[in-house]
Amino acid sequence: MKKIAFILISLSLVGCGTYVTKEEFAPEMYKDHPQTIIVLPPINKSTSAEAKEYYSTTIAEPLTQSGYYVYPMEVVNDVLQQEGLYDTETMLTVPPQKFREFFGADAVLYLTILQWNTSYMITSGSVTVKVAYELKSTYTGDVIWFYDDAVTINTSGSSGNTGGWAGLLAQVITTAITTAVTDYVPIARQANEKILLAIPFGKYHKLYNADMKSKIEKKKALKPVEEESPKGPS
């Protein structure tokens, strides 16, 4: 009986995270009430050269659906380049208040792609994406919301009901092809949509200020990205 009780307790603890309300997690968001956001081009710490492009093309839509006005990235990039800012690494040295001077935005969103790993192991394949988000006020320069999370997409092939070596070989071939031709844009979109579930709704959302008690999984404060050691595709 003791053994059964121990197993039950252990199982109850598996997958249990710490949950807090959005108001507890990001109180400054409900004080500042940012309405307009500038999204800077992502900083790519992964070994996937294309990861930055995938993310740049998929962040605006889910952020807009969360109730914010997002400045067109093409316009943002053009203005910043006119100011001599050609990459996000350089922009990190610019005080957030400057982005209010340039655009009149309430907040600026910094993205760091920490991992973009393609894994292929005979009959199974997957793509894991980990991204850190940091939103800063252009009034105070302070961080008013941050979150990081990872999304893993299964790219394994299916060989149907065929058994034996023929079925195994078919699955190996299908998995290899599926993983090789995976469209990474939907993966980036899924990662964005999942992480942005944790951001308080903006003014242009019907649930604006009505989600303060909604529960989200608590994340630790972001570590400096230099501490990350992402692995490349294997």
Side-chain angles (χ1 to χ4, degrees):
M1 290 298 292
K2 290 182 179 180
K3 183 176 181 181
I4 294 175
F6 175 77
I7 293 174
L8 291 175
I9 292 173
S10 299
L11 289 175
S12 68
L13 295 175
V14 173
C16 290
T18 301
Y19 290 84
V20 295
T21 65
K22 285 187 177 181
E23 183 183 21
E24 291 171 330
F25 184 75
E28 296 304 319
M29 287 288 286
Y30 295 99
K31 295 178 182 177
D32 284 28
H33 296 287
Q35 300 177 26
T36 57
I37 296 177
I38 287 176
V39 180
L40 298 184
I43 296 174
N44 188 11
K45 293 291 181 177
S46 77
T47 55
S48 172
E50 297 82 10
K52 186 172 182 177
E53 181 179 353
Y54 301 143
Y55 247 79
S56 295
T57 59
T58 58
I59 180 62
E61 183 178 353
L63 194 54
T64 300
Q65 291 174 347
S66 295
Y68 297 94
Y69 175 79
V70 181
Y71 286 80
M73 294 193 71
E74 295 82 3
V75 175
V76 170
N77 291 339
D78 287 344
V79 172
L80 293 177
Q81 288 178 13
Q82 291 174 17
E83 296 295 329
L85 302 172
Y86 293 93
D87 54 62
T88 307
E89 287 78 2
T90 302
M91 298 174 198
L92 292 177
T93 64
V94 178
Q97 291 87 339
K98 277 292 183 181
F99 294 101
R100 181 163 185 79
E101 293 181 19
F102 294 153
F103 304 98
D106 298 323
V108 56
L109 181 62
Y110 302 82
L111 301 173
T112 303
I113 302 172
L114 302 173
Q115 294 180 17
W116 191 288
N117 296 348
T118 301
S119 175
Y120 171 65
M121 298 180 63
I122 309 301
T123 60
S124 64
S126 65
V127 178
T128 299
V129 179
K130 183 177 182 182
V131 182
Y133 292 58
E134 189 173 48
L135 188 67
K136 291 186 178 182
S137 167
T138 58
Y139 293 93
T140 65
D142 296 333
V143 176
I144 56 177
W145 180 76
F146 60 85
Y147 211 74
D148 67 339
D149 209 343
V151 175
T152 299
I153 307 299
N154 185 1
T155 58
S156 301
S158 174
S159 59
N161 297 322
T162 305
W165 286 106
L168 178 61
L169 179 59
Q171 186 176 353
V172 169
I173 294 173
T174 304
T175 297
I177 294 175
T178 302
T179 302
V181 300
T182 295
D183 185 352
Y184 293 116
V185 171
I187 293 175
R189 184 177 292 114
Q190 288 182 53
N192 277 315
E193 290 174 350
K194 178 183 178 183
I195 295 175
L196 288 175
L197 291 174
I199 196 171
F201 290 128
K203 179 182 178 181
Y204 305 106
H205 195 283
K206 62 181 181 180
L207 294 179
Y208 174 59
N209 271 349
D211 63 340
M212 300 173 72
K213 303 304 178 183
S214 298
K215 295 292 184 70
I216 62 171
E217 186 178 358
K218 184 177 180 180
K219 298 291 182 178
K220 296 180 180 179
L222 296 180
K223 297 179 180 179
V225 294
E226 288 77 13
E227 294 184 13
E228 295 284 346
S229 300
K231 298 178 180 179
S234 56

